[in-house]
Amino acid sequence: MSFPLLTLTAAVPAIGAVATAAVPAAKRTAAKWLALGFSLATLVLAAVVLVRFEPGGARYQLTESHAWIADFGVRYELGVDGIGVSLVALTALLIPFIIMAGWHDADPLEEEAPNRRWRPTQGFFALILMVEAMVILSFEATDVFLFYIFFEAMLIPMYFLIGGFGDRAGAHGEDEASKQRSYAAVKFLLYNLAGGLIMLAAVIGLFAITADDLGQGTFSLQEIVQARANGDLTMATSTERWLFLGFFFAFAVKAPLWPLHTWLPNAMGESTAPVAVLITAVVDKVGTFAMLRYCLQLFPEASKWATPVIIALALVSIVYGALVAVGQRDIKRLVAYASVSHFGFIILGIFAMTTQGQGGATLYMVNHGISTAALMLVAGFLISRRGSRLIADYGGVQKVAPVLAGTFLIGGLATLSLPGLAPFVSEFLVLVGTFSRYPVAGIIATFGIVLAALYVLVLYQRTMTGPVKEDVRGMPDLKVRELAVVAPLIALLIFLGVYPKPVADIVNPAVDHTMSVVDEHDPKPDVPVRDLEAAK
């Protein structure tokens, strides 16, 4: 039996969550260092997984398979392809920065009355590690039911992170802020639970079909895909479409895709900045990842049938998210709506059904995670100094905190996909891949780039330039801990913007396999090839 490296990569943060939660209440600092230590250990294991992964090797690597609930065809099956291993690495990379950025976010406030809610530091960091474990298992699972369990289970710790450890810098009083946090947490939970319940019905339906055609029901992704390729498993057109819609609805809520996005601005706005990063840079990636792994591979014909509508929804997400971001007065809600626009680009690339589009979408998942983390965490440092999320409460920050302003600018420029920074490469590939098959959609999507420049530059102008506001005069610049969070993220944005080949080489074989399963090929150029011999 091979060493269970994938299991260990997910088990370490889970063990770390239990260990952190068990630290005595008075040992808050010890709990923080323990959580950070486990997150770094997970990062080391993810790096080992990445090194051992062979881009030109088997479709799924480092596989593990054990019987679990045999009577119902459920197995504990893990394996990573190029897309999954990239997102496992992204998750493991971001969690230490999230923990460091939230170092004091769960400390109890000295001025809080005894009857106010106490923020247990141990619980805060334990919940972050538990989310990490569940997200990693979601990226590793190759059994549909196993994936579903962790896809849904991660909602519980996220609910408590949003509702129990919300932002202290809101524009409300303490009581009103508590109500807003509760509302955001419940809305997050209800939206995602509704999607999950619909998906559960589709999962059960898929099992019933495999039981009828194969003689024994199975949830194994590889077995189902292979059986469909061999002709051993067939689905009626209407059945496949209904099952596809059940899966896609859940993933569109998680992603999120317009019009199922409305929980995201509330959740990110009422969360602390590190938890907001956890939502949009880590958890939401499970939705777009699952579209590639499950929707396209399990239901290839239905995916092509639904493509025109999904592309239309993705275009609405791109333009709508960017337009609403332009009008925001709240920094964190602006970033949230910008993410709605960015997820529209990712989904557009996935359903463009071209290698450039899907390769760009996968790169976008990685690059968006890094760029959003950089921008939102710096925004969190800014908000913690002034105690307000409102853009109007800032001005002239670059004169009193130039390093903070500079890092904020780089994060913003990455968000608008400036050439030379990582998101540009992925956004360019998505647009090229889309334009080659759907030129009108490609043209419409470019308006999202123009609007992104508008909301990012206006945000920077209003907060960082102009006369220094009175409440900003004493604002300190970034501290060593904060620089340790931001500097590596900015370095990655620049490195991957100049040299994206390492990530592209990992994801491209997986994209090629997905395209072959869907039986799609890149469209040929419309320009006729000249007959050189005749020209001579």
Side-chain angles (χ1 to χ4, degrees):
M1 183 181 297
S2 60
F3 184 75
L5 183 58
L6 296 185
T7 294
L8 187 61
T9 305
V12 166
I15 295 170
V18 175
T20 302
V23 173
K27 303 290 186 181
R28 293 196 302 271
T29 302
K32 296 173 184 179
W33 283 106
L34 185 64
L36 181 60
F38 272 99
S39 70
L40 291 173
T42 306
L43 177 58
V44 171
L45 288 170
V48 174
V49 171
L50 195 60
V51 169
R52 291 189 57 184
F53 183 82
E54 299 177 7
R59 170 72 167 117
Y60 294 102
Q61 300 179 34
L62 306 174
T63 55
E64 303 172 31
S65 181
H66 308 281
W68 184 22
I69 311 175
D71 291 342
F72 294 96
V74 181
R75 298 185 62 84
Y76 178 80
E77 285 191 352
L78 304 180
V80 287
D81 59 1
I83 301 170
V85 77
S86 299
L87 295 175
V88 167
L90 173 69
T91 302
L93 173 70
L94 292 180
I95 296 300
F97 297 125
I98 289 172
I99 290 174
M100 291 172 64
W103 202 253
H104 298 298
D105 284 357
D107 292 346
L109 297 176
E110 295 180 1
E111 65 271 19
E112 284 183 334
N115 62 337
R116 294 292 180 90
R117 183 182 307 191
W118 179 58
R119 301 164 181 268
T121 303
Q122 292 83 345
F124 179 73
F125 292 106
L127 289 170
I128 290 175
L129 290 175
M130 188 57 68
V131 171
E132 179 183 21
M134 293 176 178
V135 170
I136 288 176
L137 280 168
S138 297
F139 292 141
E140 294 176 343
T142 56
D143 182 277
V144 177
F145 194 79
L146 182 68
F147 166 81
Y148 174 78
I149 290 174
F150 295 111
F151 180 81
E152 289 294 281
M154 68 179 72
L155 301 180
I156 305 304
M158 285 306 308
Y159 168 80
F160 288 108
L161 283 170
I162 297 169
F165 300 92
D167 188 12
R168 298 172 177 177
H172 324 284
E174 178 62 26
D175 292 337
E176 183 63 24
S178 178
K179 293 179 182 178
Q180 292 293 328
R181 291 195 297 267
S182 297
Y183 172 78
V186 171
K187 188 173 184 179
F188 163 82
L189 187 64
L190 290 179
Y191 267 64
N192 284 274
L193 278 179
L197 288 174
I198 293 174
M199 179 182 170
L200 178 60
V203 168
I204 294 171
L206 179 65
F207 177 81
I209 291 172
T210 60
D212 287 342
D213 284 16
L214 303 179
Q216 183 177 2
T218 180
F219 290 107
S220 173
L221 174 67
Q222 297 183 72
E223 290 182 11
I224 295 172
V225 172
Q226 188 61 46
R228 296 211 68 182
N230 296 337
D232 298 328
L233 176 62
T234 58
M235 296 185 194
T237 300
S238 59
T239 301
E240 181 177 345
R241 291 177 179 179
W242 280 111
L243 293 180
F244 168 84
L245 291 174
F247 276 72
F248 181 80
F249 182 83
F251 303 151
V253 172
K254 183 84 78 179
L257 177 67
W258 184 92
L260 305 172
H261 69 285
T262 58
W263 62 267
L264 182 65
N266 295 101
M268 290 184 65
E270 300 304 326
S271 299
T272 62
V275 173
V277 171
L278 187 65
I279 294 170
T280 190
V282 177
V283 172
D284 288 353
K285 297 299 185 298
V286 178
T288 48
F289 162 80
M291 291 179 188
L292 276 167
R293 173 166 285 188
Y294 297 100
C295 285
L296 266 61
Q297 296 192 55
L298 290 174
F299 317 108
E301 295 303 321
S303 297
K304 290 187 280 189
W305 162 75
T307 287
V309 174
I310 295 173
I311 286 179
L313 294 177
L315 291 174
V316 174
S317 288
I318 291 169
V319 178
Y320 168 82
L323 280 173
V324 178
V326 171
Q328 287 301 303
R329 297 181 297 170
D330 183 310
I331 297 174
K332 291 165 74 173
R333 289 179 70 89
L334 185 151
V335 178
Y337 279 108
S339 291
V340 171
S341 181
H342 294 149
F343 276 102
F345 275 107
I346 295 172
I347 295 170
L348 178 66
I350 291 171
F351 285 90
M353 300 293 183
T354 60
T355 53
Q356 299 99 326
Q358 292 186 1
T362 305
L363 282 175
Y364 214 138
M365 293 185 219
V366 176
N367 295 334
H368 173 264
I370 299 171
S371 63
T372 299
L375 179 62
M376 179 59 85
L377 292 179
V378 177
F381 298 149
L382 176 70
I383 291 168
S384 66
R385 284 159 165 75
R386 173 64 178 80
S388 173
R389 306 194 315 245
L390 298 179
I391 297 173
D393 289 340
Y394 297 88
V397 174
Q398 66 181 9
K399 297 177 182 178
V400 296
V403 177
L404 188 155
T407 54
F408 189 82
L409 177 62
I410 295 174
L413 293 176
T415 298
L416 63 83
S417 299
L418 183 76
L421 297 175
F424 169 76
V425 179
S426 45
E427 197 163 282
F428 178 77
L429 286 173
V430 167
L431 290 173
V432 169
T434 302
F435 189 83
S436 65
R437 192 179 293 276
Y438 304 103
V440 174
I443 292 171
I444 295 173
T446 57
F447 285 100
I449 303 175
V450 178
L451 294 171
L454 180 61
Y455 63 70
V456 167
L457 296 178
V458 169
L459 171 64
Y460 183 84
Q461 180 187 40
R462 292 178 177 175
T463 55
M464 301 297 164
T465 65
V468 180
K469 291 204 171 182
E470 189 62 34
D471 292 329
V472 174
R473 290 189 183 280
M475 181 178 291
D477 213 334
L478 293 182
K479 301 175 182 178
V480 174
R481 171 181 61 85
E482 295 165 335
L483 281 172
V485 171
V486 177
L489 295 174
I490 290 176
L492 273 173
L493 288 173
I494 296 172
F495 174 77
L496 293 177
V498 176
Y499 189 62
K501 188 175 184 297
V503 181
D505 286 346
I506 292 173
V507 304
N508 283 340
V511 168
D512 291 339
H513 178 83
T514 302
M515 289 284 290
S516 67
V517 171
V518 184
D519 193 24
E520 282 284 4
H521 307 280
D522 290 335
K524 296 180 180 180
D526 292 333
V527 180
V529 179
R530 294 181 179 179
D531 188 345
L532 297 180
E533 293 297 326
K536 292 179 180 179

